[in-house]
Amino acid sequence: MDEQLLHTLGCMTYGIYVLTTCHRKTINGMIASWVSQVSYDPPLVLIAIHPNRFSHRLIQKSGAFALHLLYKNQKDLLARFKGPDPGAKFADLEWSRSQTGCPILKDCLGYMECTVKAMLQPGNHTLFIGEVLEARLFAHEEPLTTLDYKGRYVGKD
């Protein structure tokens, strides 16, 4: 891919979220930044997930995911949710199961629990469109965004 294009894509700004999902008793969490609201009525959000991610398979099987908005000072969670061990990701964190079974983190700015309404694969990522079943905002503070983080994900894997 052209270096100018990669640099330009890397300058696009997004929120940084912890996405959680489950299938039966198996849970996982990952960092997601390709997220957008796509409808007000019904309330729909879109996430883009690479098919090689473990969470991708869990979302396909369960049809559900939760997005957690992070406080600007929660960068430490990023390393935790990039690791390969699902059990270690949730160790020592307070969380509970939502109505869909997805893990809901207690210490976050807020969350949205979603059920998948559509899946599209127009490129190398799958677009999951989720209808928001429940949303909670716990504080009115600045969320963590790609402007607060040194890394830039441009979708190469």
Side-chain angles (χ1 to χ4, degrees):
M1 188 175 281
D2 179 288
E3 284 299 315
Q4 284 296 320
L5 177 57
L6 283 174
H7 180 70
T8 304
L9 288 173
C11 288
M12 292 182 71
T13 56
Y14 304 93
I16 297 180
Y17 306 87
V18 170
L19 179 146
T20 59
T21 188
C22 68
H23 178 62
R24 297 186 180 132
K25 292 185 179 186
T26 304
I27 62 171
N28 196 41
M30 63 174 277
I31 301 304
S33 61
W34 290 4
V35 174
S36 182
Q37 178 181 347
V38 294
S39 174
Y40 170 76
D41 185 20
L44 301 174
V45 295
L46 175 139
I47 59 172
I49 308 292
H50 196 282
N52 71 357
R53 304 286 185 209
F54 182 53
S55 290
H56 185 281
R57 291 185 290 283
L58 295 179
I59 295 168
Q60 281 184 312
K61 291 177 181 178
S62 69
F65 62 90
L67 284 172
H68 298 81
L69 293 85
L70 302 178
Y71 292 102
K72 204 170 199 168
N73 66 353
Q74 287 185 300
K75 291 180 204 170
D76 58 319
L77 280 180
L78 301 181
R80 172 187 289 263
F81 281 96
K82 284 184 178 182
D85 179 8
K89 293 176 184 182
F90 293 93
D92 302 324
L93 289 181
E94 285 189 58
W95 61 277
S96 61
R97 293 249 185 195
S98 68
Q99 61 184 309
T100 62
C102 292
I104 301 295
L105 304 177
K106 299 291 184 184
D107 184 21
C108 63
L109 184 59
Y111 72 90
M112 292 174 278
E113 178 185 13
C114 304
T115 57
V116 175
K117 293 299 171 191
M119 282 184 354
L120 305 165
Q121 194 150 18
N124 72 332
H125 282 58
T126 301
L127 306 179
F128 293 98
I129 298 174
E131 183 169 0
V132 179
L133 300 177
E134 180 175 86
R136 296 283 178 264
L137 189 62
F138 301 123
H140 294 282
E141 294 187 29
E142 290 288 317
L144 183 65
T145 72
T146 54
L147 296 175
D148 307 307
Y149 179 61
K150 291 182 183 180
R152 296 284 189 259
Y153 180 69
V154 294
K156 291 173 77 173
D157 68 320

